[in-house]
């Protein structure tokens, strides 16, 4: 177990170093795309607030437009990072990395599958916990345990299948295949991915700690640094991690789900 953790730590270090090298060299272009995603999300919230009492139909249309715009920028960011990884010496233009209509449609469909998987896992936990209500155990205990187990199961499921956008952009996978490939490639790499997320989320954890200690000025500075450094670095690091685990994957191009759950 100790050796496995050491190997996982070294793997995470390699990913962070590679990601930092790419981020440092192309910081402004990557940060610009991240900033555009932030502006799109913020503008969507403001627009929803101002027109919520004007027209519900208009609100729905604007939500759809902003969601599509946000996802387009997000996919473009991943595609841009792939180009930077594959063509480090060439001058890559952001305009050339816009996702195709097919990629956007596949991503939207895969997102529905993603949400369905999350809800399905939680439903299974509820169904398993339901019979325990009739065993004489306190209902509140069963409820609290079911919620706790459900949250853990959802987090694990989210982590296992959250790489599906990369397969759509990088491999041209279909929506369902992208979910299955994410599940298959993360099998055996869960600890590495979890450690990577802990490292990348370190800045936010420090921010929460400083807020708890009531050091608002230092917390604000840490939050600004985290927003301008950690966010772009995280996008690159996750893309690099995907490329690493997918290159090491030796399984079927169309894996089944049951053999890759555990």
């Amino acid at each position: 177990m100790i050796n496995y953790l050491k190997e996982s730590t070294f793997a995470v270090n390699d990913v962070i170093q590679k990601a930092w090298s790419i981020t440092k060299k192309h910081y402004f272009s990557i940060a610009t795309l991240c900033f555009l995603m932030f502006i799109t999300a913020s503008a969507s919230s403001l627009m929803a607030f101002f027109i919520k009492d004007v027209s519900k139909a208009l609100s729905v249309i604007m939500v759809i437009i902003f969601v599509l715009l946000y996802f387009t920028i997000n996919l473009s960011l991943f595609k841009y990072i792939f180009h930077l990884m594959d063509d480090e010496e060439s001058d890559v233009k952001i305009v050339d990395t816009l996702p195709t209509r097919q990629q956007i449609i596949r991503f939207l469909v895969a997102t529905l599958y993603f949400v369905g998987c999350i809800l399905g896992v939680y439903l299974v936990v509820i169904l398993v916990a339901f019979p325990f209500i009739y065993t004489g155990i306190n209902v509140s205990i069963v409820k609290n345990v079911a919620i706790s187990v459900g949250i853990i199961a959802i987090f694990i499921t989210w982590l296992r299948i959250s790489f599906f956008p990369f397969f759509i952009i990088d491999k041209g996978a279909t929506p369902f295949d992208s979910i299955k490939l994410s599940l298959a490639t993360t099998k055996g790499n869960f600890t590495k991915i979890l450690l990577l997320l802990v490292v990348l989320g370190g800045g936010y954890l420090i921010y929460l700690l400083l807020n708890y200690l009531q050091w608002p000025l230092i917390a604000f500075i840490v939050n600004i640094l985290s927003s301008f450094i950690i966010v772009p670095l995280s996008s690159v690091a996750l893309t690099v991690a995907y490329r690493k685990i997918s290159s090491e994957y030796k399984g079927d191009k169309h894996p089944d789900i049951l053999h890759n759950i555990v």
Side-chain angles (χ1 to χ4, degrees), residues 78-97:
F78 293 146
K79 200 170 181 179
Y80 179 67
I81 296 171
F82 280 132
H83 278 283
L84 294 178
M85 293 172 62
D86 297 334
D87 306 304
E88 293 187 12
E89 303 301 325
S90 62
D91 183 20
V92 182
K93 296 181 180 179
I94 295 178
V95 179
D96 298 331
T97 63

Side-chain angles (χ1 to χ4, degrees), residues 172-227:
T174 61
F176 195 48
D177 276 347
S178 68
I179 297 290
K180 294 192 294 181
L181 284 167
S182 180
L183 191 66
T185 53
T186 53
K187 182 180 179 181
N189 291 299
F190 181 83
T191 305
K192 297 175 185 177
I193 299 170
L194 184 60
L195 285 174
L196 178 62
L197 291 180
V198 169
V199 172
L200 294 175
Y204 186 69
L205 294 176
I206 294 173
Y207 166 74
L208 293 177
L209 177 61
L210 292 173
N211 265 337
Y212 177 77
L213 296 174
Q214 297 184 347
W215 293 347
L217 180 59
I218 301 176
F220 175 75
I221 295 172
V222 170
N223 190 34
I224 292 296
L225 292 174
S226 174
S227 299

Side-chain angles (χ1 to χ4, degrees), residues 89-179:
E89 303 301 325
S90 62
D91 183 20
V92 182
K93 296 181 180 179
I94 295 178
V95 179
D96 298 331
T97 63
L98 291 175
T100 63
R101 182 172 59 182
Q102 184 186 58
Q103 288 172 334
I104 295 174
I105 293 173
R106 286 183 174 183
F107 175 79
L108 293 174
V109 175
T111 301
L112 294 178
Y113 288 154
F114 178 86
V115 174
C117 290
I118 298 294
L119 295 177
V121 166
Y122 194 66
L123 179 61
V124 169
V125 172
I126 292 176
L127 292 176
V128 170
F130 186 75
F132 287 94
I133 297 176
Y134 300 98
T135 60
I137 302 175
N138 191 295
V139 175
S140 62
I141 295 176
V142 175
K143 181 180 178 180
N144 290 334
V145 171
I147 291 174
S148 301
V149 173
I151 292 173
I152 294 173
I154 286 174
F155 174 74
I156 294 174
T157 305
W158 169 78
L159 203 61
R160 292 289 305 279
I161 63 178
S162 60
F163 283 85
F164 74 89
F166 299 110
F167 287 100
I168 294 174
I169 293 295
D170 191 37
K171 305 291 187 183
T174 61
F176 195 48
D177 276 347
S178 68
I179 297 290

